Amino acid sequence: MRLSCPICGERDRREFHYGGAALERPAPEAGTAAWDAYLHLRENPAGRSRELWYHESGCTAWLVVERDTVTHEIHGVTLAAGGR
């Protein structure tokens, strides 16, 4: 699998570290139920999903990768909020 880093260009997947699902974080005052769901209740979808990847052996940017978990086809790569 190859990922196209917005900063470095196309690279082999071995340069990156998987960081989990790209989820919307609850507001600090959201309450314990919202934080419990965010931390412990995760979907495991077969198909298209948004994931966080860290370009560990490159520019050290965090990326949001839209990927199909069945075919591993990459549908898009963008810098995560805050970029580097």
Side-chain angles (χ1 to χ4, degrees):
M1 184 169 76
R2 295 185 65 80
L3 296 175
S4 186
C5 174
I7 297 171
C8 302
E10 190 171 307
R11 299 287 193 262
D12 188 83
R13 178 236 56 73
R14 291 173 288 191
E15 287 191 15
F16 299 86
H17 177 77
Y18 175 73
L23 303 173
E24 293 297 321
R25 197 178 173 109
E29 65 279 351
T32 56
W35 279 99
D36 181 57
Y38 173 75
L39 293 171
H40 304 291
L41 302 176
R42 299 294 170 99
E43 302 256 341
N44 189 14
R48 217 162 169 160
S49 65
R50 295 178 70 234
E51 305 168 330
L52 289 171
W53 288 77
Y54 178 63
H55 197 174
E56 185 173 35
S57 297
C59 61
T60 68
W62 279 96
L63 308 173
V64 176
V65 176
E66 191 171 338
R67 179 176 75 92
D68 189 306
T69 60
V70 176
T71 65
H72 300 293
E73 180 182 357
I74 305 297
H75 296 281
V77 179
T78 58
L79 287 174
R84 295 174 94 171

